Amino acid sequence: MQTVDSYLEKVIKVGDEGSELLAKLCSPTLKNCEHIRILSEGMQARVGLKIPKGYMAVVHSASGGNMDEQPGEHAYSMVQFLVGRARAFSAKPLAFANVIDSRTGDTQLLRKIAEGLVDGANKYHLAIMNGENAILGERLNADANVSGTLISMKKLCKDVMLPSTFMLNGVHYTIFNPNIKKGSLLYMNSDGVGTKTELYERAQKFEPAVEDWIAMDADDAAKINAVIQVLSGVIETRGNIPVDKIIKHAKAVAKRCGFEAILQPEDLGNRLNTYNPNVDFAFSISGSAVSVVSESGLKNPPKPKEGDYVIAIKAKGPRSNGITDKRKAMVKLYDINWHEKPEGKEYLDFLASPSTIFYPLFKELLDNKLATCVYHMSGGAYNGKLARPLAKENLFVSLDNLFEPDPRELSLAEQVGSIETAYAKWPMGNEGFITTTKPIQTMDIIKEKYGLECRVVGSVEKAVEGKTGVEIKINGKTIYFSGN
């Protein structure tokens, strides 16, 4: 069985290396589009798109389809599908973001996929603005599945209400005004639910996966205080999945958060794997947030400062990261059909609970200058999402009095590795963090308006003798993440 240490080495580290490679290979395509604005370069590049006045933005998504193709051909076909669907609406394609779900994250595989993406981008004069590199292991039968979200432009029609979401020839589109603020740019960030969809398959509750998808993309957009216009993605399926119900739920949840959501159904057949050979249904959701952000905001995102208080927000359930080890631990404890056993069902109630969507809260706190920075515990948890942004500013925080993990999460941590490594990739009872100079006012909003438990757990300091990042004090132990 893969341990947490192995997960950190083979998934987190390999994923970061793969993301850096993909950024390097795809960044030359930014020259393909005259409307691209490059504000910073590298793996964490800040790239915006400026659509001229008099035009509206057109957004839709596609996957590479279910043909038995080589990885590069599969990626290239995804670009072709995107362009064809834009042209079917008489829109001019400009730029796209992608999500690569692969079995292993192997660099040679990623090179082939990048070649397909770049060939497509160069042929159609598109910029690759951003992407997500995810390793889904045995959840895939194919080497990789590739999906993407395209921004196009079309002449603004005076008699069309914006924003507007509609379907044309089976394709879901959203159109909106990209120039709602003077000097604004469009920004894209991408993510997906990952292997957590297996837990919803076991629970036979498919719609809650939407909250995970929205939380992963929207909460990342909130970190740069972007104003989301639409979340656009694909729901990849095998077998009988209630796609219409999931799409309807996505639209409703997004509406409550203040933006549009569209999901393009894509039947991938046997490219997706099931949790049991006797089961013939599976699904996956991923996509991109398309946002409006000022150029200065994109260039200078919110940052923590020395003297800030750190507020922790209690977790309601697991976020979409590190789920693979939890799934494997449950099989080890109770066999392949663990969810059918009384003990397994108790765990499933926790594991199949959706992520908290922090976007509305984060936006309110940032807009009212109550938060200096916001954090959600996904994709590397404490080291990746909290210690790293602190270390980038040469800052350090010692966290004490954190919320205790759910007993079921604590039990699984003991099954798959040490408590120290569990904090390296799981929320462990604390789903989000906020740095602020006004803790009382901030906590009042978190508790009273959003109904979330929170408390002050530390304060930000300047790094001392090179010690940056996060130190966690829990049950007599000290766990340290440098963020470097």
Side-chain angles (χ1 to χ4, degrees):
M1 174 177 172
Q2 180 176 280
T3 65
V4 176
D5 289 325
S6 176
Y7 175 91
L8 294 172
E9 182 70 22
K10 294 181 179 179
V11 176
I12 298 295
K13 183 179 179 182
V14 170
D16 285 346
E17 291 171 353
S19 297
E20 187 172 359
L21 172 66
L22 289 166
K24 180 180 179 181
L25 295 174
C26 293
S27 61
T29 67
L30 295 173
K31 298 177 182 178
N32 289 341
C33 179
E34 63 179 318
H35 304 297
I36 287 291
R37 303 288 184 268
I38 303 173
L39 304 181
S40 68
E41 299 182 2
M43 192 171 79
Q44 301 296 327
R46 299 289 187 208
V47 178
L49 178 69
K50 181 61 179 176
I51 292 182
K53 289 183 179 180
Y55 288 85
M56 60 184 177
V58 182
V59 176
H60 70 283
S61 298
S63 81
N66 63 5
M67 298 293 290
D68 186 14
E69 302 167 308
Q70 294 298 314
E73 295 171 346
H74 177 74
Y76 183 83
S77 69
M78 184 274 293
V79 181
Q80 286 185 308
F81 289 141
L82 286 174
V83 171
R85 293 171 182 181
R87 289 177 174 173
F89 186 56
S90 301
K92 180 182 178 181
L94 298 176
F96 69 91
N98 61 82
V99 175
I100 299 171
D101 292 334
S102 72
R103 286 180 61 87
T104 64
D106 175 74
T107 54
Q108 290 305 310
L109 170 66
L110 294 180
R111 281 185 181 275
K112 293 175 183 177
I113 292 171
E115 287 172 4
L117 293 173
V118 171
D119 285 348
N122 289 340
K123 179 177 179 179
Y124 297 109
H125 308 291
L126 305 175
I128 303 176
M129 287 182 66
N130 213 327
E132 169 70 7
N133 175 35
I135 301 173
L136 302 193
E138 76 284 355
R139 284 290 289 175
L140 302 183
N141 277 327
D143 287 331
N145 291 329
V146 183
S147 62
T149 297
L150 178 70
I151 301 177
S152 306
M153 69 180 189
K154 186 175 181 176
K155 279 281 188 181
L156 196 60
C157 301
K158 293 182 179 179
D159 57 344
V160 174
M161 293 290 293
L162 299 177
S164 178
T165 293
F166 59 94
M167 187 167 66
L168 177 67
N169 298 325
V171 179
H172 296 262
Y173 299 89
T174 290
I175 54 177
F176 64 90
N177 182 359
N179 295 295
I180 56 175
K181 292 184 179 180
K182 187 177 180 180
S184 59
L185 300 173
L186 295 185
Y187 179 76
M188 302 177 79
N189 60 276
S190 308
D191 212 335
V193 182
T195 68
K196 192 176 177 182
T197 51
E198 180 193 303
L199 303 174
Y200 296 118
E201 293 162 15
R202 290 178 180 272
Q204 294 284 289
K205 296 189 301 183
F206 302 97
E207 293 95 319
V210 160
E211 275 90 338
D212 289 290
W213 170 52
I214 291 178
M216 296 305 103
D217 275 326
D219 293 355
D220 271 351
K223 291 191 297 185
I224 62 168
N225 203 18
V227 182
I228 298 174
Q229 302 301 300
V230 58
L231 252 65
S232 179
V234 297
I235 174 168
E236 301 169 330
T237 64
R238 169 180 174 170
N240 188 21
I241 298 293
V243 171
D244 290 343
K245 289 183 178 180
I246 295 171
I247 292 174
K248 182 179 179 181
H249 187 61
K251 290 181 178 180
V253 174
K255 202 62 107 175
R256 292 197 295 269
C257 293
F259 47 78
E260 303 289 317
I262 51 176
L263 277 172
Q264 183 64 36
E266 300 281 5
D267 181 359
L268 294 195
N270 290 338
R271 295 184 71 92
L272 290 178
N273 211 352
T274 61
Y275 65 83
N276 186 324
N278 297 320
V279 172
D280 193 35
F281 61 86
F283 77 117
S284 180
I285 300 177
S286 58
S288 301
V290 181
S291 309
V292 170
V293 64
S294 68
E295 185 168 328
S296 61
L298 188 56
K299 190 181 295 185
N300 301 293
K303 297 176 182 178
K305 302 190 300 293
E306 181 186 7
D308 284 349
Y309 293 90
V310 181
I311 295 172
I313 303 175
K314 185 177 181 180
K316 291 185 176 180
R319 292 183 82 78
S320 286
N321 58 312
I323 297 295
T324 294
D325 283 338
K326 290 177 177 176
R327 294 187 296 109
K328 290 187 175 183
M330 293 306 298
V331 172
K332 181 183 178 183
L333 285 170
Y334 302 114
D335 79 34
I336 188 68
N337 291 318
W338 57 265
H339 60 289
E340 297 177 357
K341 299 185 176 182
E343 305 94 326
K345 288 180 179 178
E346 290 184 14
Y347 278 88
L348 188 61
D349 287 341
F350 167 71
L351 294 172
S353 57
S355 303
T356 302
I357 299 171
F358 289 122
Y359 174 82
L361 166 64
F362 284 173
K363 280 289 296 169
E364 179 169 346
L365 295 178
L366 288 168
D367 288 345
N368 289 286
K369 303 190 183 306
L370 291 174
T372 57
C373 206
V374 294
Y375 318 80
H376 67 105
M377 294 296 98
S378 301
Y382 290 84
N383 192 48
K385 294 292 187 178
L386 186 57
R388 190 170 294 170
L390 286 166
K392 189 176 179 180
E393 304 303 321
N394 199 37
L395 297 172
F396 168 78
V397 63
S398 179
L399 299 177
D400 200 0
N401 197 31
L402 288 171
F403 290 103
E404 287 285 332
D406 184 283
R408 291 161 291 190
E409 187 165 51
L410 195 58
S411 173
L412 290 175
E414 293 169 354
Q415 286 292 322
V416 300
S418 68
I419 195 70
E420 289 86 355
T421 47
Y423 274 88
K425 67 188 190 67
W426 295 348
M428 297 300 285
N430 302 269
E431 206 172 352
F433 288 88
I434 291 162
T435 49
T436 179
T437 58
K438 300 176 181 178
I440 295 176
Q441 192 175 349
T442 299
M443 287 193 292
D444 283 345
I445 291 174
I446 296 171
K447 294 175 182 177
E448 294 174 13
K449 186 170 181 178
Y450 293 91
L452 299 169
E453 290 189 56
C454 63
R455 60 191 181 213
V456 174
V457 293
S459 59
V460 179
E461 309 170 39
K462 270 189 177 179
V464 179
E465 297 179 355
K467 191 174 185 179
T468 62
V470 173
E471 179 181 84
I472 301 171
K473 295 179 180 178
I474 186 84
N475 295 332
K477 291 185 177 182
T478 299
I479 305 169
Y480 175 63
F481 300 110
S482 70
N484 295 314

